[in-house]
Amino acid sequence: MRTPEQILAAEAAQLDFSRSMSYGDYLHLDQILGAQVPLSPDHNEMLFIVQHQTSELWMKLMLHELQAAMACVASDELGSAFKMLARVSKIMEQLVHAWDVLATMTPPEYSAIRPYLANSSGFQSAQYRCIEFALGNKNAAMLKPHAHRPDLLEQVQAALVAPSLYDQALRLLARRGIAVPESHTERDWSHAYGASPAVEAAWLVVYRNPREHWDLYQLGEELTDLEDAFRLWRFRHVTTVERVIGFKRGTGGTGGVSYLRKMLDVVLFPEIWTLRTSL
């Protein structure tokens, strides 16, 4: 009697891969697997490259889901938005665990490749900046690292001036008849969001009557899940950087750990968190 592996091998032997698209063709694996080009002679640079390239792939999917979720919230299609936002939170979990792999790089190992990095830095990731802007952490100064690439600058600029996920959520509350100040539903979207007691009061209407506003209540909890996951990512980021490079300045010119620690204090959806004290 043949084993499952033998059966599978026999079936595969009968297929003609020369006439159809293969697994590698579909995924463009030649291009993807050929994109790791270490500049140093050090063995550990491959880890550094793969870590950041795979993170960029996850961020590409995250942006794909975030942009679709925002469109769904804007059109009151919350069922679809919940599915997408739940996926974004799971992607964040993947990115959190990715730091565990990079943390296996020791300070001497990183020091061996650092001179070859020049000024390149994750600080310059256009996709990450678009994610930050989509989640409401707007800062026009963050356009500068992309000024040398007009195509990337255009993408980041578009994310800066567009309503964030939280902006769309507040506009939805207003459309549902819940009192949200106009200052938070019609404003210059390129400016950083400012917390408001009136917005907290609007969310409290939802959270004090979850059965009456069930989908809005669920939206609030999806936002909570997302920021929870994002906070974990930021914490693992700063911890890994401190573990690997200490308090050296970042290759992109930032303060390194000191800059990342400041980011831990950024709250994306403030009223979603402060309302809990008032319940």
Side-chain angles (χ1 to χ4, degrees), residues 142-156:
M142 294 304 173
L143 297 176
K144 187 176 180 180
H146 313 289
H148 66 294
R149 283 281 303 273
D151 55 335
L152 296 181
L153 180 61
E154 183 179 3
Q155 294 174 27
V156 180

Side-chain angles (χ1 to χ4, degrees), residues 189-257:
W189 307 119
S190 67
H191 290 179
Y193 179 82
S196 162
V199 171
E200 180 179 329
W203 279 112
L204 279 169
V205 171
V206 173
Y207 272 74
R208 284 174 174 155
N209 303 278
R211 291 189 178 183
E212 183 180 348
H213 306 287
W214 182 257
D215 56 350
L216 297 179
Y217 173 70
Q218 188 173 349
L219 176 59
E221 288 302 285
E222 291 287 354
L223 294 175
T224 306
D225 288 343
L226 178 52
E227 182 157 4
D228 194 339
F230 201 61
R231 288 180 179 185
L232 287 173
W233 182 86
R234 279 178 168 157
F235 178 76
R236 289 295 291 125
H237 187 184
V238 67
T239 302
T240 303
V241 170
E242 183 174 355
R243 174 173 177 159
V244 175
I245 73 168
F247 288 86
K248 297 184 183 75
R249 292 191 65 82
T251 49
T254 69
V257 168

Side-chain angles (χ1 to χ4, degrees), residues 7-219:
I7 295 173
L8 182 61
E11 292 175 349
Q14 298 176 18
L15 297 175
D16 184 359
F17 292 106
S18 66
R19 298 183 181 182
S20 61
M21 180 173 62
S22 70
Y23 174 79
D25 294 336
Y26 175 67
L27 295 177
H28 297 276
L29 289 184
D30 286 344
Q31 294 94 317
I32 292 173
L33 298 180
Q36 296 74 47
V37 185
L39 298 178
S40 77
D42 192 82
H43 166 84
N44 298 285
E45 189 180 354
M46 183 63 76
L47 162 61
F48 193 81
I49 292 172
V50 170
Q51 156 81 16
H52 289 83
Q53 287 183 340
T54 53
S55 293
E56 288 289 336
L57 285 172
W58 281 121
M59 285 191 280
K60 182 171 184 176
L61 179 58
M62 187 186 301
L63 273 174
H64 177 72
E65 299 294 340
L66 269 177
Q67 290 163 352
M70 287 190 286
C72 286
V73 173
S75 59
D76 210 346
E77 300 174 31
L78 292 190
S80 297
F82 295 155
K83 174 69 174 179
M84 295 163 184
L85 292 176
R87 182 172 292 163
V88 171
S89 294
K90 290 296 183 182
I91 295 169
M92 285 305 313
E93 289 181 18
Q94 289 286 334
L95 290 170
V96 168
H97 291 305
W99 292 118
D100 296 338
V101 184
L102 189 61
T104 65
M105 178 176 282
T106 64
E109 291 169 348
Y110 178 73
S111 295
I113 69 172
R114 184 183 173 108
Y116 296 86
L117 302 180
N119 291 325
S120 63
S121 166
F123 183 73
Q124 301 158 350
S125 168
Q127 289 198 126
Y128 177 75
R129 194 58 54 198
C130 287
I131 290 169
E132 284 266 8
F133 288 173
L135 295 179
N137 188 21
K138 302 289 185 76
N139 184 347
M142 294 304 173
L143 297 176
K144 187 176 180 180
H146 313 289
H148 66 294
R149 283 281 303 273
D151 55 335
L152 296 181
L153 180 61
E154 183 179 3
Q155 294 174 27
V156 180
Q157 176 77 43
L160 178 71
V161 301
S164 70
L165 172 62
Y166 196 53
D167 292 325
Q168 294 291 10
L170 297 184
R171 298 178 89 181
L172 175 60
L173 262 63
R175 292 198 302 272
R176 294 287 189 88
I178 297 174
V180 178
E182 188 172 329
S183 60
H184 285 62
T185 58
E186 297 295 334
R187 63 185 186 87
D188 184 343
W189 307 119
S190 67
H191 290 179
Y193 179 82
S196 162
V199 171
E200 180 179 329
W203 279 112
L204 279 169
V205 171
V206 173
Y207 272 74
R208 284 174 174 155
N209 303 278
R211 291 189 178 183
E212 183 180 348
H213 306 287
W214 182 257
D215 56 350
L216 297 179
Y217 173 70
Q218 188 173 349
L219 176 59

